[in-house]
Amino acid sequence: MTAQSTKLEDLPSDLKKELLPKHVAVIMDGNGRWAKRRGLPRIMGHKRGVDILKDLLRCCQDWGIKALTAYAFSTENWGRPQEEVEFLMTLFQRVLRQELREMLEENVKISFVGNLLALPNALQAEINTSIEETKNNHGIKFNVATNYGGREEIIQACRAIAEKVDKGLLQPNEINETTFEHHLYTAGNCDPDLIIRTSGEMRLSNFLLWQSAYSEIYFTDTLWPDFDRSEFKKALFAYQQRERRFGKVS
Ligand code: FPP
């Protein structure tokens, strides 16, 4: 980890511990623009983005947030220039290998959501190693959405359920929200309380479509490579001002 960490007691005094989200999800947008503004190649924005993500993970641990999900690569991102896609795949692989020891020391439990079988074999191997090695950790849960698309996730869940019905393992009237959630990539996770998207874009871009039904969404103009702890604190502060009614009245 490159950035300096603080400890749990360093939760900023204007944030209330009891009102922290349990699960934060991030759409890390703006890496390319950040690099372009500095006359750098786009990949430099992604590299800097990794440092920001690592510090955010540390910050979530320090401040007592239980789960962090990061949108690293969408099913649509394959349409980027081939060299950028290749760079990202190699970057994911390298970061996983480099950070495994620290994740073990820090008790991080990593998991991945998305269609992993379409990823390069070497990356799949690194992913499997990191899942296996951290599976007994019980600290923060770190979910990486890789080759993830919300629509694709819903379709594969429908297909898996249909196959069970076809084989007589499930009755159609047994399909409910709980059954459905068990077939999503995110099975076993709680829904995100707070979704943050950086860089001024105001949309979900196929991220956690089912799971975001009652998430609070925070948009900021800040580009991902500039999204430091003070920006995260602002997002949490905004979240704590909101009244979550889940369709009910106050
Ligand atoms: C979007 O910015 C960013 C991405 C598609 C990649 C995000 C990935 C990381 C930060 C690396 C994460 C690493 C691990 C190991 C989880 P953009 O390129 O669309 O930016 P732009 O909109 O300014 O062009």
Side-chain angles (χ1 to χ4, degrees), residues 28-33 42 46 50 53 72 77 80 92 95 144:
M28 308 179 284
D29 200 7
N31 294 349
R33 275 164 283 169
R42 292 175 55 80
H46 297 315
V50 172
L53 180 59
N77 285 155
R80 291 186 173 221
F92 297 152
V95 171
V144 187

Side-chain angles (χ1 to χ4, degrees), residues 151-162 183-186:
R151 289 182 174 182
E152 195 266 346
E153 177 183 41
I154 289 170
I155 288 170
Q156 68 77 35
C158 292
R159 204 177 287 132
I161 290 171
H183 293 83
L184 293 172
Y185 294 132
T186 53

Side-chain angles (χ1 to χ4, degrees), residues 28-34 42 45-50 53 70-74 77 80 84 88 91-93 95-96 142 144 146 199 201 223-224:
M28 308 179 284
D29 200 7
N31 294 349
R33 275 164 283 169
W34 182 90
R42 292 175 55 80
H46 297 315
K47 279 176 104 170
R48 162 89 183 175
V50 172
L53 180 59
Y71 203 5
F73 195 86
S74 75
N77 285 155
R80 291 186 173 221
E84 184 172 340
L88 282 169
L91 180 71
F92 297 152
Q93 195 184 325
V95 171
L96 287 178
F142 178 41
V144 187
T146 317
S199 90
E201 310 291 351
L223 303 177
W224 178 254

